[in-house]
Amino acid sequence: MAALKRTAFAMALAATALTGLPGCRPASTARATTPSTGDALADASELPGRRALAREIYVAGVPLLARYAVVHARNIDRASAEYQGPLNVLHWVMVSAESSRAEPGATVSASLDLRAEPMVLRVPALPAARTYVMQLTDLLASVPAQISSRSSGNQAGDYLVVGPGWQGTVPVGITDVIHADTSLVSVSGWIQQLATDSVHSRQQLQRGFRVQPLSRYLGVAPPPMPTATEWPQPLPADLARQSALFFGQLDALLSFAPMQPGDRDLRQRLQQLEITPSQRNLAHAATRALRDGMADGQREIDQRRVAVEDCQSDSLQGRDGDYSDAVSRACAAQRSLKEG
């Protein structure tokens, strides 16, 4: 089987420029936005450009904040009502025939932390009559892979899930490599329940699906763990849509979405847009332009929600499971945050 294709999220602007952008610092040292020239903010005439860039970055960044909020609630914050269990573990929930699905089965979810090393997702061999799907989604709402009975058949497979920049050797026995653009990746799946299933057989089936670090898969010593993470507390929904704190949290979360090769020129241009002390009289207006840009972006998302079946993912995604544009991604991400 050819290597599973990575579906990178086209957010080069947000993924490269957020360090030091407005909202990541006090308003007095916030940055203006006129990326076409790279000149420092000189007067109020440049505020419309700042507002336009804020809109673009807001729409691009919504998925990252929204998806992180779900990961945080399910697998990081033990006090959360939605907490399912720790990172890098599959968590199962039975789905009855009375649920929204046409067929009973079991749902499974996990959040993979790929900072220290890749993870291996094992899918067992299944009877031809049983259907399943396992979808991986990164923090940018890209879908690096969808493994299912339809696309991959019902044979067993070991799938190596690697984070950005991984340069290791793919070991023998790996069915395919899944490249993710962020070092936190969500797994969600569904496995069909058959009429002949017993409680024991369902438990056996679930034990066949497994997530483990690459080092354990190889039987070698694990690499050093990353420095202890102070997981950012997700912003409340209202602040995430209205406050310049959005950009500060996005800046923090971009540590999970490293800069892609070739983006350095854009970062350097944006770093030239610092508001100097002599321009502090514009800082309040610049921050207002930032919030106005967020409002512009949210209006686009809301319009998409009305136009496309309340942002049902099936209506927004293409055949490969990815989204066609940033507004669709943001729309679906806000829906996923609402659903939990």
Side-chain angles (χ1 to χ4, degrees), residues 118 120 158 160 162 166 168-177 214 217-218:
V120 179
D158 289 331
L160 185 66
V162 306
W166 185 74
T169 301
V170 178
V172 175
I174 291 297
T175 305
D176 233 323
V177 181
L214 177 59
Y217 177 85
L218 295 174

Side-chain angles (χ1 to χ4, degrees), residues 150-167:
R150 174 177 294 182
S151 64
S152 307
N154 280 29
Q155 66 270 25
D158 289 331
Y159 297 86
L160 185 66
V161 187
V162 306
W166 185 74
Q167 299 293 328

Side-chain angles (χ1 to χ4, degrees), residues 16 57 77 83 104 113 117-118 121 239 272 274 277 279 292 304 322:
T16 62
I57 293 177
D77 182 6
Y83 185 74
D113 183 353
E117 61 177 315
L121 172 62
L239 289 182
Q272 298 172 12
E274 188 82 26
Q279 299 164 340
D292 288 344
R304 184 65 54 86
D322 212 357

Side-chain angles (χ1 to χ4, degrees), residues 146-196:
Q146 188 176 87
I147 308 164
S148 68
S149 49
R150 174 177 294 182
S151 64
S152 307
N154 280 29
Q155 66 270 25
D158 289 331
Y159 297 86
L160 185 66
V161 187
V162 306
W166 185 74
Q167 299 293 328
T169 301
V170 178
V172 175
I174 291 297
T175 305
D176 233 323
V177 181
I178 299 170
H179 294 271
D181 286 332
T182 65
S183 52
L184 279 180
V185 175
S186 297
V187 178
S188 58
W190 178 78
I191 294 85
Q192 178 189 25
Q193 179 180 331
L194 302 179
T196 55

Side-chain angles (χ1 to χ4, degrees), residues 103-277:
E103 295 182 273
T107 63
V108 61
S109 64
S111 296
L112 308 182
D113 183 353
L114 307 174
R115 291 173 301 159
E117 61 177 315
M119 303 294 293
V120 179
L121 172 62
R122 171 165 293 176
V123 175
L126 298 172
R130 195 185 301 272
T131 60
Y132 79 95
V133 60
M134 302 286 283
Q135 179 167 298
L136 287 83
T137 308
D138 65 24
L139 283 187
L140 302 177
S142 284
V143 179
Q146 188 176 87
I147 308 164
S148 68
S149 49
R150 174 177 294 182
S151 64
S152 307
N154 280 29
Q155 66 270 25
D158 289 331
Y159 297 86
L160 185 66
V161 187
V162 306
W166 185 74
Q167 299 293 328
T169 301
V170 178
V172 175
I174 291 297
T175 305
D176 233 323
V177 181
I178 299 170
H179 294 271
D181 286 332
T182 65
S183 52
L184 279 180
V185 175
S186 297
V187 178
S188 58
W190 178 78
I191 294 85
Q192 178 189 25
Q193 179 180 331
L194 302 179
T196 55
D197 285 348
S198 63
V199 173
H200 176 72
S201 65
R202 287 199 298 268
Q203 292 173 342
Q204 289 288 100
L205 172 66
Q206 292 175 11
R207 279 195 287 267
F209 290 85
R210 190 182 312 167
V211 166
Q212 59 184 321
L214 177 59
S215 58
R216 188 181 304 165
Y217 177 85
L218 295 174
V220 300
M225 291 297 294
T227 304
T229 300
E230 293 186 8
W231 300 101
Q233 184 67 30
L235 291 176
D238 57 340
L239 289 182
R241 297 191 184 198
Q242 301 175 21
S243 170
L245 292 173
F246 172 95
F247 295 93
Q249 180 147 109
L250 183 55
D251 177 52
L253 295 180
L254 282 173
S255 63
F256 298 107
M259 183 175 66
Q260 299 297 317
D263 293 335
R264 196 169 303 277
D265 288 345
L266 177 58
R267 180 186 287 270
Q268 291 172 345
R269 290 202 307 274
L270 288 169
Q271 288 176 343
Q272 298 172 12
L273 303 177
E274 188 82 26
I275 295 178
T276 65

Side-chain angles (χ1 to χ4, degrees), residues 56 69 170 310:
E56 183 174 358
V170 178
D310 194 29

